[in-house]
Amino acid sequence: MKLSQRIQDITGGGSGGWDLYFRARALKEAGAPIIELTVGEHDIRTSADILDAMHEAARSGHTGYAAIPGTRDLREAVAARITAQSGVPTTARNVTITPGGQSALFASHNAMLDAGDTGLFIDPYYATYPGTIRAVGGIPQTVPAEAARGFQPRGADIDTAAKATHAKSLLINSPNNPTGAVYTADTLQEIARATIDNDMWLISDEVYDSQIWEGAHISPRALPDMAQRTLVVGSMSKSHAMTGSRVGWVCGPEDVIDYLITLSTHTTYGVPGYIQDAATFALGQGASVEEQVAAPFRRRRLLTRDLLAKQNVVHAAPIQGAMYVMLDIRATGMSGEDFGNALLDGEQIAVMPGESFGAAAAGHIRVAMTVDDDVFVDAMTRLIGFAATLATGETA
Ligand code: PMP
C-alpha cells in the first residue's frame, strides 16, 4: 500500500542529524559511562507541588475530555504572563493551549502555509523545524545567521530568501536553540521590517523566554504593526521543567486562534484537564519559580565562561540565553560531526554536532548544560583538553 509522499518526506531523508545521539544512547544502554550533553532536558524533574496539583485535579475528576481550546483558567493565566512579559494587552481569546510547543509549531504552520508554499526559518535551527514545515505540505527554506555575527540574522538575507521563494511565513526562535543567541532590538526590528515588506506571517518560537542571561527578551509581537501578523509559540516545558507534560500554546489574533481551535478539534482534541490545571497552578506561582528552574543553566554558563577564558582553542558563541553553548571547534581542523564522534570515542562525552542544526553551524558543536555542575565542569574540562590535543597534533 502506498503512503502519502508528504509523510514519507517529513525527515527529508537521512537521520535528521541524530546519528551521534543514537550512537551515544546505544553505548550508554550497553553500560558505557557516557556523559550526555545532547538533548534539552533539565536534570531536575517537575516539582512536587506541581505534581500534587496535577494529582489533586485528577482525583477531583478532571479526567474527562477537557476544554479543547484550553481551560478558561489556563488561557487567562497564559494571557496574563504574555501581557506582563511583552506589554501587549492579551486576553484568553488570543491564546489556545496545545500539547507542547512542538504541536503549536505544527498548528501555526498549518494556518500559515498552503501546500507548496515556502516557510522560511533561520539556520542554525531547532532540528524539527524543516520537518514541521514539510508535515503541513510546505517547502522549508533556510535563511543563514552567521557565526561571525553572533548568529543574529540579517534583514537583507530574509528579504533575499523571501523574494526568491515568495515565502508566506518566517519562523524565528529567540532565545535560540541551538546557538544560545538572544536577538537584539535591532535584529528584531529588521525581522519585523522584512516580514512587513515581504507580507509574511511571523511565527515566534519563545519557548526559552525564561532563560535570559544577557540582554532582554523582546517579543516581536510587541513591535509596531506586528501583533496582527505574529503567532507566538510558548510552552511550559523549559520554563517549569514540564517537558513530559506536553503543554504549550499559540498566542495570536483572535480569528487565527479560532481556526487553530478548529484544528485541535480535528487533531489532538485538546490537552488533559489535570495537566492544564497543574500548568495553571504553576503559572500562578509567578516568575520566581521560573527563575529557580533556570538557575542551574545560569550557573553553568558562568562555569563555561571561566573554563573557556583559560585557553584559546575552543571559542563560544555569545551565551546569551537558553540551556546550550555553541562551541566553535574549527581550530581542531575537524567538522562538528567528526569532532563529536572522536569526543564520544575518546572521552565518552556526547554532544550534538553543529551540522545537525544546519550549514551555518558547521565546525561547531552544541553542548547542553543539562548535567550536575561537577559532572559538567569535568566534561567541559576534558572536552577543551581533547580539542587542544587535536589542535596541536599531540596524542591524548
Ligand atoms: N522549540 C524549540 C526551539 C525547542 O528547543 C523545543 C524543544 N526542545 C521546542 C520548540 C518544543 O518543545 P515542547 O514541545 O516540549 O514545548
Side-chain angles (χ1 to χ4, degrees), residues 100-102 105 126 129 173 177 205 207-208 235 237-238 243 246 324:
Q102 186 58 49
L105 287 165
Y126 174 47
Y129 283 180
N173 169 226
N177 175 12
D205 177 343
V207 302
Y208 293 98
S235 170
S237 287
K238 312 293 175 176
T243 50
R246 314 307 307 131
Y324 314 100

Side-chain angles (χ1 to χ4, degrees), residues 31-385:
I34 307 291
I35 300 177
E36 285 184 287
L37 307 176
T38 48
V39 290
E41 177 93 58
H42 313 67
D43 46 321
I44 55 163
R45 299 274 76 108
T46 308
S47 73
D49 50 356
I50 295 176
L51 295 180
D52 286 347
M54 199 180 288
H55 179 81
E56 209 171 291
R59 291 302 299 243
S60 63
H62 207 172
T63 52
Y65 292 124
I68 293 174
T71 64
R72 175 142 292 273
D73 285 352
L74 182 54
R75 291 171 82 194
E76 277 172 1
V78 170
R81 183 180 184 272
I82 291 171
T83 305
Q85 253 193 15
S86 67
V88 185
T90 303
T91 73
R93 291 277 325 267
N94 298 115
V95 173
T96 186
I97 305 303
T98 60
Q102 186 58 49
S103 170
L105 287 165
F106 176 78
S108 301
H109 281 96
N110 230 315
M112 316 286 83
L113 300 179
D114 275 317
D117 285 346
T118 295
L120 301 181
F121 59 106
I122 310 292
D123 171 3
Y125 52 87
Y126 174 47
T128 67
Y129 283 180
T132 303
I133 293 170
R134 286 191 206 98
V136 304
I139 300 171
Q141 174 64 48
T142 57
V143 178
E146 294 164 20
R149 300 187 80 248
F151 295 110
Q152 301 276 333
R154 218 182 342 225
D157 291 329
I158 299 169
D159 289 331
T160 306
K163 289 190 169 56
T165 60
H166 305 290
K168 295 287 190 305
S169 63
L170 169 67
L171 167 60
I172 63 166
N173 169 226
S174 175
N176 188 268
N177 175 12
T179 66
V182 171
Y183 289 178
T184 63
D186 283 352
T187 297
L188 287 163
Q189 265 151 22
E190 265 299 283
I191 287 170
R193 183 212 44 79
T195 52
I196 292 170
D197 283 359
N198 295 287
D199 198 17
M200 290 187 290
W201 290 97
L202 182 64
I203 301 170
S204 180
D205 177 343
E206 302 181 16
V207 302
Y208 293 98
D209 61 1
S210 65
Q211 299 179 0
I212 304 280
W213 325 131
E214 234 176 61
H217 175 64
I218 303 169
S219 176
R221 180 166 169 264
L223 300 180
D225 301 322
M226 287 304 290
Q228 66 267 31
R229 62 171 71 239
T230 303
L231 294 187
V232 173
V233 167
S235 170
M236 301 295 289
S237 287
K238 312 293 175 176
S239 58
H240 292 79
M242 290 180 73
T243 50
S245 291
R246 314 307 307 131
V247 53
W249 56 82
V250 183
C251 169
E254 287 180 15
D255 55 337
V256 181
I257 295 300
D258 288 345
Y259 280 112
L260 295 186
I261 292 166
T262 308
L263 179 66
S264 294
T265 306
H266 296 275
T267 52
T268 63
Y269 218 73
V271 172
Y274 51 92
I275 289 185
Q276 296 198 57
D277 288 350
T280 307
F281 167 83
L283 288 175
Q285 292 184 310
S288 64
V289 166
E290 301 188 23
E291 278 159 30
Q292 277 166 34
V293 172
F297 309 118
R298 184 185 289 282
R299 238 177 17 238
R300 292 168 198 157
R301 165 193 180 258
L302 291 178
L303 294 171
T304 305
R305 281 175 44 149
D306 290 349
L307 289 172
L308 291 171
K310 296 182 190 141
Q311 53 84 58
N312 205 21
V313 174
V314 178
H315 300 281
I319 320 171
Q320 299 164 324
M323 48 174 82
Y324 314 100
V325 191
M326 189 60 114
L327 296 177
D328 181 345
I329 48 83
R330 283 176 287 186
T332 64
M334 291 177 122
S335 68
E337 194 164 348
D338 288 346
F339 182 86
N341 276 305
L343 183 72
L344 182 58
D345 293 330
E347 296 286 344
Q348 302 191 304
I349 297 169
V351 297
M352 293 295 284
E355 291 83 4
S356 302
F357 307 103
H364 289 70
I365 53 167
R366 189 196 73 174
V367 175
M369 300 185 280
T370 48
V371 293
D372 185 69
D373 292 19
D374 292 344
V375 178
F376 182 69
V377 168
D378 172 54
M380 284 300 286
T381 306
R382 282 162 48 205
L383 184 159
I384 292 167

